[in-house]
Amino acid sequence: HIDDLPLFAPKQAILEVLAGLESLFLDDQIEGEFEFSGDVMVRLHDETYPARLYTEQRGGRSRLRFSRSDLDAMIEAAEIDLSSEQVELISLYPLRVPTLLDITRRARSFSKEIFPDDFYLRDALRHVSWSYLLTREFGSEFALEVTDAQETRLGNTPNERVMDFHNNAVGRRLAMAGTGWRQLPLVVKQDSDVIRHPDEVDSRTDLLH
């Protein structure tokens, strides 16, 4: 449904509808009132999951959304633990959800594969590679929002949180510098810019200012 659709000029009306849909699906939003809803199948690792995709009106714009229940079901199926703030953020970008969940799983499995026996090295690589992939796919601003939202979760010590924020920033910088994916483990293991253990935080003021 679009405001002021020229019903007496059907060809023009069809072109306006298609233009609106293109804008909606490329940018996740469109100026003005544009209503769309439909059932979609979301593919996650060779499995498909049904979801309802619809528009929501916010500040004179129409944005695509998944329902929270559908989004929660997809996150559970992907076996990923996200904070409430992250879920709310990615619900605003439904077309990014499959790729974002895939990136999150890829970073987790990659870090386990490379550092299976060292928890903190594995954690450092997970944050660096996750932020790196998000930046490469969606840009540094979106990567910053998603990774910062992760740190709102309870459970981490202050030093662990500082370490994660810092290593997320390292991942963004590496992506923007064009560093190769397979170079990341070596960077995490050897580069002085990476924080590899929470105990390093208090002595690394050179990196934190």
Side-chain angles (χ1 to χ4, degrees), residues 132 136 170-171 173-184 187:
Y132 171 97
R136 209 166 62 169
V170 171
R173 290 199 296 272
L174 292 172
M176 290 186 288
T179 303
W181 168 253
R182 284 292 165 184
Q183 294 176 261
L184 298 187
V187 170

Side-chain angles (χ1 to χ4, degrees), residues 15-182:
L15 291 175
E16 289 192 19
V17 170
L18 292 175
L21 284 173
E22 182 176 37
S23 176
L24 190 63
F25 276 81
L26 286 177
D27 303 325
D28 283 332
Q29 62 182 1
I30 186 174
E31 292 281 354
E33 294 185 18
F34 189 107
E35 295 180 28
F36 168 86
S37 65
D39 295 321
V40 298
M41 298 299 292
V42 179
R43 181 174 292 277
L44 298 171
H45 294 279
D46 298 324
E47 296 289 337
T48 54
Y49 302 90
R52 187 75 172 171
L53 191 62
Y54 62 94
T55 50
E56 177 183 75
Q57 307 300 316
R58 281 192 176 190
R61 295 172 179 264
S62 301
R63 301 195 64 150
L64 282 172
R65 293 296 299 264
F66 279 131
S67 72
R68 180 61 183 261
S69 60
D70 284 342
L71 192 53
D72 285 341
M74 283 184 259
I75 292 168
E76 182 178 357
E79 300 178 335
I80 291 171
D81 187 17
L82 299 179
S83 69
S84 295
E85 287 79 4
Q86 282 176 308
V87 177
E88 180 59 29
L89 172 62
I90 67 174
S91 74
L92 296 173
Y93 301 91
L95 301 182
R96 298 182 180 188
V97 167
T99 302
L100 189 146
L101 295 180
D102 184 62
I103 282 173
T104 305
R105 288 187 58 168
R106 184 180 175 191
R108 184 178 62 187
S109 62
F110 182 57
S111 60
K112 283 183 178 180
E113 173 193 339
I114 301 298
F115 299 123
D117 302 319
D118 190 316
F119 175 83
Y120 285 113
L121 266 181
R122 184 167 68 245
D123 183 70
L125 179 58
R126 180 171 61 86
H127 280 270
V128 168
S129 60
W130 182 42
S131 186
Y132 171 97
L133 289 172
L134 286 171
T135 300
R136 209 166 62 169
E137 185 69 31
F138 301 118
S140 61
E141 185 176 335
F142 183 74
L144 175 64
E145 287 185 273
V146 172
T147 55
D148 275 4
Q150 174 75 4
E151 304 313 321
T152 62
R153 300 177 58 203
L154 299 176
N156 278 0
T157 66
N159 277 11
E160 286 173 338
R161 189 168 289 112
V162 170
M163 173 179 165
D164 292 344
F165 274 124
H166 178 80
N167 289 336
N168 289 337
V170 171
R172 293 193 300 274
R173 290 199 296 272
L174 292 172
M176 290 186 288
T179 303
W181 168 253
R182 284 292 165 184

